[in-house]
Amino acid sequence: MSKSGFDVCIRGAGIVGQTLALRLGQAKLRVALVDGAPADGPAQRARDVRAYALNQASRQLLQELRCWPEGDAVTAVQHMHVRGDAGGAVRFDAPHSRAIKHQPGQTTAPAADALAWIVDVPALEDVLRTALRFQPGVELVSAAVPATLTAICEGKASASRAELGVEFDHFDYPQHAVATRLRSSQPHGGTAHQWFCGEHILALLPLGGAQGDEYAVVWSTSVAQAQRLVALDEAAFVAELHAIATGAAAAGPAPHGQGLAPHTQFTLSAPRARWPLRLAQARQWAGPIPGNPGAAWVLLGDAAHTVHPLAGSGLNLGLGDVAALADALLQRPAWRSVADQRLLRQYARQRKAALLPMATATDGLQWLFWQQQPWLQGLRNWGMRGFSASGPLKHWVMQQAMGGAAALPMPPGLAAARAQQQAPRP
């Protein structure tokens, strides 16, 4: 333990940092959580229009910490409709089976009762912050303090990562994301929707519980289009979204029964936010602290990696980092320090291996649907239709998405055009 008495100093008090603090604090480690935000109440904070699609692993972690939001703050996704831009479509439905078959040699565990859970961000943050107030092993501090291990959870613009000189390889997509919320004239029925329409990737994620009528919107498009969408008046913005959601803006016919009904009406229920999209990964995820023998640092969440949001996997990857690092620290022999480089390298290898397929898939899908060549448009929609009818393959992908890194199943047109894809980026 460091002279300060802290085993771990966590820099960054977002969802990933708070979850790590609770997990380690409950295991009797002495944790300092750096939180420079003012101690205002939930009503005083600006409303966050985002919502997270969490998978079974993330849900289980939060439930074990007793930090799973209740009531209408969580909406189970029972169905997922993904539509291409020329008639391609895939539909996923939550299975009725109560058991998931794992890899050979693994035991069978209870299945998720939904494809994913859409969680309201402010509600989750409030639950975590309340839990921290009752966790004696965690001390909130306003600035970084010495500790045996420094866990950096500051996000993609991490100042601590930069101070350590860690290179952050990145590819900036020619896209921004626009987020807001909508109320619909029809209940969502626990159904999430995603459309690939030209340069637009539009997702509607159900909110407000099983009987709700609100959606979280994540609309990825070109930088110029995103700027224009944010500047539009509400009526014009809703009209353009409605055209995509009902198939009126598609290059081909909307698949029968897959588009929202044309008479569905939307109204904005939150302001619009916009941010740039990036694929990024730190070259080094852990290491010794220069000039401080016996101390080390480690990266988690967006400080270590970011991916395209089209699969809603960002927070799931970050919470996966939390689970992996906590397991490594809490299962170590008593004689081994929390700053042990062997443990931290093992964590980094494990999480890089988990990140690779998700980063590759989201990057590939973004590239595949960004291209507007007619032959490629036909190929990707053909791939989606073939996958939708594939039976066992579709079922396997859905199970992986529910229990693995992905938050929501993704359209598989990438497989059909993999040979045409650009060389891997960072």
Side-chain angles (χ1 to χ4, degrees):
M1 186 177 289
S2 71
K3 293 181 181 179
S4 69
F6 289 109
D7 297 297
V8 183
C9 176
I10 301 173
R11 300 189 185 186
I15 291 175
V16 170
Q18 292 182 64
T19 305
L20 179 64
L22 287 168
R23 181 73 178 89
L24 299 181
Q26 288 184 1
K28 307 304 181 183
L29 291 181
R30 181 82 190 284
V31 178
L33 177 62
V34 181
D35 182 9
D40 54 12
Q44 294 176 284
R45 296 199 300 269
R47 184 186 182 194
D48 194 327
V49 299
R50 296 172 301 164
Y52 289 120
L54 298 185
N55 63 17
Q56 173 66 6
S58 296
R59 181 195 190 203
Q60 181 175 344
L61 173 62
L62 291 169
Q63 285 180 326
E64 289 173 355
L65 296 174
R66 298 183 180 180
C67 289
W68 187 247
E70 298 180 352
D72 292 345
V74 176
T75 304
V77 178
Q78 300 295 336
H79 313 282
M80 174 69 179
H81 293 174
V82 182
R83 306 166 186 83
D85 50 4
V90 180
R91 172 173 171 149
F92 295 89
D93 299 297
H96 297 295
S97 171
R98 297 305 302 166
I100 291 179
K101 294 181 179 179
H102 292 269
Q103 298 296 326
Q106 290 184 321
T107 57
T108 301
D113 54 3
L115 296 171
W117 292 265
I118 309 302
V119 179
D120 183 67
V121 172
L124 177 56
E125 291 175 334
D126 290 342
V127 171
L128 289 168
R129 190 161 292 275
T130 298
L132 284 168
R133 291 204 297 267
F134 295 95
Q135 179 47 252
V138 179
E139 183 175 335
L140 296 179
V141 297
S142 59
V145 297
T148 307
L149 178 64
T150 296
I152 300 172
C153 311
E154 294 171 328
K156 58 187 177 183
S158 171
S160 298
R161 185 191 63 223
E163 291 172 3
L164 289 165
V166 178
E167 294 190 55
F168 198 52
D169 293 327
H170 63 88
F171 171 80
D172 292 322
Y173 290 112
Q175 296 174 317
H176 280 190
V178 175
T180 187
R181 297 191 177 189
L182 295 171
R183 288 207 176 275
S184 172
S185 59
Q186 304 293 325
H188 53 60
T191 301
H193 304 271
Q194 189 172 43
W195 292 267
F196 292 83
C197 183
E199 60 185 340
H200 302 286
I201 303 174
L202 173 63
L204 298 184
L205 308 178
L207 294 171
Q211 306 302 318
D213 60 2
E214 190 173 20
Y215 290 100
V217 178
V218 183
W219 191 339
S220 303
T221 187
S222 68
V223 177
Q225 288 279 18
Q227 292 172 335
R228 185 184 63 83
L229 288 172
V230 170
L232 286 175
D233 62 52
E234 291 190 8
F237 177 86
V238 169
E240 292 200 21
L241 185 148
H242 186 270
I244 295 176
T246 58
H256 178 67
Q258 291 287 312
L260 297 182
H263 63 267
T264 303
Q265 300 297 314
F266 295 123
T267 56
L268 283 181
S269 57
R272 283 162 278 179
R274 176 172 63 92
W275 64 90
L277 301 180
R278 165 182 286 188
L279 173 68
Q281 182 176 334
R283 291 193 180 182
Q284 187 179 0
W285 288 27
I289 294 180
N292 191 352
W297 58 270
V298 64
L299 301 180
L300 299 90
D302 286 353
H305 49 74
T306 62
V307 297
H308 197 286
L310 65 85
S313 58
L315 182 56
N316 288 305
L317 289 170
L319 293 178
D321 295 345
V322 169
L325 180 62
D327 285 347
L329 298 182
L330 302 180
Q331 295 175 12
R332 75 189 195 284
W335 53 265
R336 181 168 286 177
S337 166
V338 294
D340 185 274
Q341 292 299 306
R342 183 178 176 182
L343 283 178
L344 298 179
R345 286 194 297 268
Q346 179 181 352
Y347 155 79
R349 286 194 300 269
Q350 177 185 346
R351 295 311 297 158
K352 286 180 180 180
L355 171 67
L356 180 61
M358 179 55 58
T360 301
T362 54
D363 183 54
L365 285 167
Q366 183 278 334
W367 173 84
L368 179 64
F369 281 91
W370 185 253
Q371 309 305 310
Q372 300 304 309
Q373 296 93 326
W375 69 270
L376 190 55
Q377 182 189 55
L379 183 60
R380 66 197 179 211
N381 283 278
W382 169 82
M384 292 180 72
R385 288 190 293 269
F387 176 85
S388 185
S390 63
L393 175 61
K394 176 182 172 183
H395 181 67
W396 180 85
V397 169
M398 182 174 66
Q399 287 187 333
Q400 297 305 305
M402 292 168 62
L408 293 173
M410 297 179 297
L414 176 62
R418 174 62 67 184
Q420 304 295 332
Q421 188 175 353
Q422 296 170 327
R425 295 189 273 264

